[in-house]
Amino acid sequence: MLLNFRPRFAELIQNGRKRQTIRAIRKDGKVPKVGETLYLWTGCRTKQARKLAEHKCLAVDKVEIHADKFVFSGHATSNATLLDDAAKLDGFKDWAELRDWFEEVHGLPIPRQPHPLVSLCLCTRPLVIKVGTAIKFWHESSPELYG
C-alpha cells in the first residue's frame, strides 16, 4: 500500500525520527494488513514525488485524539509523559504540537464519523504506552534509534 506524506514529514521519516503516522481509514475501507509492504512517499501526483522508504506492516490499531487525551484500542491516557512520547514518535516535538496540528488540519476530537483513524508506527519496538501500539514497521536503517 502506498502512503503519501506531507513534505514537512519527509526528512523525519527518512532519518527515523517520525516512527508513526495517524491517518483516516480510506473511504473504500482499506487498511494495511499485517505483513503488507508499505511504500512511503511524499509529493505524490506532483513532479516532486519521491519515495521515502519501504516497511513491512507488523500491527494495526485504531486511535482517537482528543484535546486532553490519546486513546489506543479503547484505552485512554492523559499522562503528559506518555502523550509527549507518542507525539515524538509521530514527528512532533510534544503532545501540544501534535494536538494543535490535528486541530488545525482536521479539527478535534478525532475520529469523527464516517472515517475513523489508524495509527502507523514506524519502529522496531512497540510504543511506550502499555495499552498497545498502532501499525509497526521494521526500520532497518536504525533499529535501535529509540531503544
Side-chain angles (χ1 to χ4, degrees):
M1 174 181 280
L2 186 141
L3 301 174
N4 188 48
F5 290 85
R6 294 173 190 249
R8 77 168 272 182
F9 298 118
E11 183 179 342
L12 296 171
I13 290 167
Q14 289 184 305
N15 69 22
R17 294 199 54 211
K18 180 171 174 60
R19 299 177 358 141
Q20 71 182 25
T21 187
I22 299 166
R23 41 187 70 227
I25 293 175
R26 294 168 22 156
K27 291 178 185 176
D28 64 8
K30 185 167 165 77
V31 175
K33 294 182 176 119
V34 172
E36 181 176 1
T37 300
L38 302 174
Y39 303 93
L40 312 181
W41 283 72
T42 190
C44 286
R45 299 185 184 102
T46 71
K47 291 181 181 179
Q48 293 78 33
R50 66 186 170 97
K51 185 176 177 182
L52 302 172
E54 282 182 31
H55 297 287
K56 294 283 186 187
C57 177
L58 302 176
V60 178
D61 202 358
K62 291 183 181 175
V63 298
E64 297 175 27
I65 302 172
H66 300 266
D68 61 342
K69 66 183 176 184
F70 208 43
V71 182
F72 286 90
S73 293
H75 298 20
T77 185
S78 55
N79 176 290
T81 300
L82 295 178
L83 291 173
D84 284 345
D85 286 347
K88 288 173 185 171
L89 291 173
D90 207 81
F92 296 92
K93 71 176 181 175
D94 56 25
W95 171 253
E97 185 183 39
L98 178 143
R99 180 197 59 222
D100 293 348
W101 187 85
F102 273 94
E103 174 87 61
E104 179 182 326
V105 174
H106 302 288
L108 292 179
I110 293 174
R112 290 185 311 277
Q113 294 301 327
H115 303 294
L117 297 179
V118 292
S119 179
L120 316 178
C121 183
L122 308 174
C123 61
T124 60
R125 296 183 182 183
L127 291 171
V128 294
I129 299 172
K130 294 179 181 177
V131 297
T133 62
I135 297 174
K136 295 177 237 159
F137 305 88
W138 176 254
H139 193 282
E140 296 165 348
S141 64
S142 54
E144 301 302 319
L145 233 141
Y146 289 92

